Amino acid sequence: MSNFDLAQISSRLESSNSKDRLLALASLKEVEAQDAVPLIKKVLNDEMLPVRSMAIFALGVKKTDECMPILVKLLETDPDYGIRADAAGALGYLRDIRAFEALVRAFYEDTEWLVRFSAAVSLGNLGDIRAKQVLLEALHSDETVLQQAAISALGEIKAEDSIEEILVFAQSDDWLIRQRLAESLGNFNTEKSISALKFLAKDANSQVSQAASYSLERINN
């Protein structure tokens, strides 16, 4: 992208109209990370939450050395829990293992379920087996969404010794939990996971049965 185009985007990010600023952020999709990040930083403290939210997401996609420390600081200090949750989610997109401790801290210390949910999802994205203990705690939480995040993430980190604990959810009344379980089990090529997937492939809910069938195909391939 030419300097002229970048200057135009930069100018639109300073517009008094929030829609212009959102469109300018969207147009950064085609811009190289090293050119995009300085522009994204211009609206990180925007007065409009949707603009801030989109800027934070963009930092997760446009990876430079600057992104992780900015996102960790937002996760740890921003007064708005939605922004903290966005930062946790963006750290998962970065897939930078150095974010591990910050995400674990957010899971244990943040009082908002949305932030804890985002942290659990992102720990799965990092694919680090050290997250197993945190994710098992999420699994046994009273929050259904945390249970869903944990089931998915335990599959992503390939915590094979946690299969017994996630299989308890095969009988859940919540079809979304059964669907997450069917997706997660596709990460494990074991007798127990294959047997559970065959059971879930007959589920009355079509999304659960499709997810189980797809996971069985993944294992077979």
Side-chain angles (χ1 to χ4, degrees):
M1 189 169 276
S2 73
N3 288 338
F4 174 73
D5 291 328
L6 291 174
Q8 274 194 316
I9 295 171
S10 181
S11 171
R12 289 179 84 184
L13 286 168
E14 289 164 17
S15 165
S16 57
N17 185 333
S18 62
K19 192 176 175 185
D20 284 341
R21 301 197 298 277
L22 281 169
L23 288 169
L25 278 173
S27 64
L28 289 173
K29 200 160 89 172
E30 310 300 328
V31 177
E32 292 293 325
Q34 67 268 20
D35 292 325
V37 169
L39 296 173
I40 295 164
K41 282 163 64 182
K42 293 176 77 158
V43 287
L44 269 180
N45 296 308
D46 200 274
E47 65 200 33
M48 297 292 289
L49 276 178
V51 177
R52 288 194 78 197
S53 190
M54 193 170 179
I56 289 164
F57 172 76
L59 283 183
V61 180
K62 300 292 181 184
K63 187 174 182 177
T64 72
D65 291 341
E66 275 189 284
C67 297
M68 198 199 75
I70 291 171
L71 291 170
V72 167
K73 189 175 180 193
L74 286 167
L75 172 60
E76 292 178 341
T77 64
D78 202 275
D80 188 290
Y81 74 87
I83 294 297
R84 296 197 304 278
D86 287 337
L91 285 167
Y93 278 104
L94 277 185
R95 286 183 158 76
D96 187 326
I97 205 65
R98 293 173 302 164
F100 179 82
E101 280 79 12
L103 289 167
V104 169
R105 262 198 314 278
F107 178 82
Y108 282 123
E109 294 172 13
D110 206 292
T111 52
E112 295 288 345
W113 70 264
L114 186 62
V115 182
R116 300 179 76 222
F117 168 79
S118 284
V121 170
S122 286
L123 284 167
N125 290 343
L126 293 186
D128 190 322
I129 195 66
R130 289 179 299 163
K132 186 180 82 169
Q133 195 49 48
V134 182
L135 295 173
L136 286 174
E137 291 197 35
L139 191 69
H140 299 301
S141 119
D142 296 331
E143 296 280 359
T144 306
V145 288
L146 280 180
Q147 293 173 343
Q148 288 176 18
I151 290 166
S152 297
L154 284 162
E156 287 185 86
I157 66 168
K158 298 189 167 41
E160 205 165 284
D161 51 355
S162 67
I163 289 178
E164 292 275 359
E165 294 189 65
I166 63 172
L167 282 182
V168 173
F169 293 89
Q171 307 283 358
S172 171
D173 293 335
D174 186 333
W175 70 267
L176 267 172
I177 283 203
R178 300 197 307 279
Q179 183 186 14
R180 292 287 172 274
L181 177 61
E183 290 161 355
S184 185
L185 289 171
N187 293 290
F188 306 111
N189 187 356
T190 70
E191 272 183 48
K192 277 184 182 159
S193 57
I194 290 168
S195 168
L197 283 168
K198 286 177 178 170
F199 169 76
L200 289 167
K202 301 186 189 109
D203 197 277
N205 183 289
S206 63
Q207 278 163 285
V208 178
S209 59
Q210 281 167 13
S213 299
Y214 177 69
S215 284
L216 283 167
E217 276 175 41
R218 267 176 70 195
I219 292 169
N220 290 333
N221 293 336

